[in-house]
Amino acid sequence: MQFGFQVTKFRTVPDQTMCLDKVIKLPLVVYKLLYFWQFYVDAPMVSDMLNQKGCGVSNYNISDLIINGVDAPRNAWPWQVLVLTDENMCGGSIIDREWILTAAHCITSLDTYVFLGEVDFKKYKSPYRKVVLKVQHPHYSTYPITNDLALLKLSTPIDYSESIRPICLPEGNIWDASPCFITGYGLITRNTSSPILPDRLMQLRVGIMDQRLCKIMSTIVMPPHHASYICLDTPEMSMAFRGDSGGPLSCYKNRRFYLLGVSSFGGNDDIAYIFPSVYVSVAHYMDWIKLYVDI
């Protein structure tokens, strides 16, 4: 079985790009610096935990510390999956033995396969499942991008192990979990004319913007702002990128990781680093998820 991916190529004009970058970046950077103390808060987390046995357990040493991410330690993110068709790739999260949560914009009419566990494109062979049912959120919209969630039902149930297990799901929406990480197999360079994929899963520690600043920043990229958006505060020149869509925002609390968000969109052209990566808040959609998944 062979898989490929398709990347849209952008036409770039260096002088215009540099000029545009200066014009747009300066006021946003100044604004963020001036009001950072007011807008920055810890990551959102849950007020009540669901009764999910064995979820969110990682072999990752939390005292350790995508583009500009680092290789993830093996088995650190056992809920991360790779979602592939003959035309594209996305990430996703195991939330049940039969269900994967990903982004709605990752769904195509093509046969879709989910690769489980540690995926090292050079050394390891990963078990996989064929997707037999794709469920986009009924109110998913492409512009503006809203309700960007989808469920994938697998052909056969997953056997949990040290390297393959679910992440915990949230209920409620408070802001006290830390640290948070994003993970993915997406491009590790912005040069879409010569795309480079990582050999293995990448991780990046991130912060979470307050909704007030998120509203301002996300409206510039994809207006209007939606209440389910989570904007990430990432290290300079670091971000989720193409191929990372659908992947998890994993946040730590009470010795477990919880799925706070699903990668949706962000600045993805020549001024990508100015704007935050935007994730969909899973807590906003728990009632919909429970229609399909027995949690």
Side-chain angles (χ1 to χ4, degrees):
M1 183 185 305
Q2 294 182 342
F3 292 96
F5 64 95
Q6 190 173 49
V7 178
T8 303
K9 296 182 178 179
F10 286 89
R11 183 178 62 186
T12 61
V13 181
D15 292 340
Q16 293 178 355
T17 299
M18 185 178 298
C19 180
L20 182 61
D21 185 72
K22 290 180 178 179
V23 170
I24 296 180
K25 186 173 183 178
L26 181 60
L28 291 177
V29 170
V30 171
Y31 179 88
K32 186 175 178 181
L33 289 174
L34 288 175
Y35 293 95
F36 185 81
W37 64 271
Q38 178 181 357
F39 286 119
Y40 182 78
V41 295
D42 290 331
M45 197 57 245
V46 298
S47 56
D48 298 303
M49 307 303 177
L50 299 177
N51 185 23
Q52 304 169 85
K53 295 181 179 180
C55 68
V57 178
S58 169
N59 293 324
Y60 186 48
N61 184 349
I62 204 63
S63 64
D64 294 338
L65 267 186
I66 327 197
I67 290 183
N68 286 339
V70 297
D71 288 350
R74 192 159 187 210
N75 300 330
W77 313 105
W79 45 85
Q80 170 84 46
V81 301
L82 182 63
V83 181
L84 286 180
T85 71
D86 284 334
E87 289 187 353
N88 69 351
M89 64 178 289
C90 280
S93 301
I94 300 172
I95 60 171
D96 179 78
R97 291 187 185 273
E98 295 184 288
W99 291 97
I100 304 298
L101 187 63
T102 187
H105 76 262
C106 292
I107 301 301
T108 72
S109 60
L110 300 173
D111 286 344
T112 303
Y113 296 85
V114 170
F115 286 75
L116 309 166
E118 184 73 14
V119 178
D120 186 315
F121 293 108
K122 287 188 175 180
K123 297 181 180 179
Y124 305 111
K125 292 184 178 179
S126 177
Y128 67 90
R129 299 287 192 279
K130 186 174 182 179
V131 173
V132 294
L133 179 63
K134 306 167 189 176
V135 185
Q136 285 183 323
H137 191 278
H139 302 301
Y140 166 59
S141 170
T142 57
Y143 194 90
I145 299 178
T146 52
N147 307 304
D148 189 14
L149 285 183
L151 288 163
L152 306 177
K153 187 173 184 180
L154 306 179
S155 55
T156 56
I158 298 171
D159 295 323
Y160 293 157
S161 66
E162 182 181 35
S163 61
I164 303 173
R165 60 167 63 107
I167 187 170
C168 300
L169 292 173
E171 281 191 338
N173 191 22
I174 60 176
W175 300 78
D176 65 347
S178 184
C180 291
F181 294 83
I182 59 174
T183 48
Y185 297 98
L187 301 184
I188 56 177
T189 175
R190 287 194 301 165
N191 184 0
T192 55
S193 62
S194 300
I196 299 176
L197 290 170
D199 292 332
R200 57 181 301 175
L201 183 66
M202 304 292 287
Q203 69 178 44
L204 180 69
R205 185 169 179 171
V206 299
I208 309 295
M209 289 184 188
D210 180 84
Q211 281 288 67
R212 291 168 292 179
L213 182 55
C214 180
K215 183 175 182 179
I216 295 170
M217 301 290 278
S218 64
T219 299
I220 296 172
V221 183
M222 186 67 66
H225 174 80
H226 191 270
S228 67
Y229 291 167
I230 297 175
C231 295
L232 302 187
D233 186 23
T234 60
E236 185 177 358
M237 304 297 285
S238 304
M239 62 185 295
F241 204 53
R242 299 180 182 208
D244 293 322
S245 292
L249 169 62
S250 305
C251 295
Y252 188 74
K253 185 175 183 179
N254 297 334
R255 298 183 180 181
R256 296 180 185 270
F257 279 96
Y258 291 83
L259 183 59
L260 265 292
V262 170
S263 179
S264 180
F265 69 92
N268 60 3
D269 56 14
D270 295 306
I271 52 172
Y273 293 126
I274 300 172
F275 303 107
S277 298
V278 177
Y279 280 58
V280 180
S281 171
V282 174
H284 280 72
Y285 298 94
M286 286 304 302
D287 289 342
W288 173 71
I289 293 172
K290 289 178 182 179
L291 293 176
Y292 299 91
V293 184
D294 185 15
I295 299 171

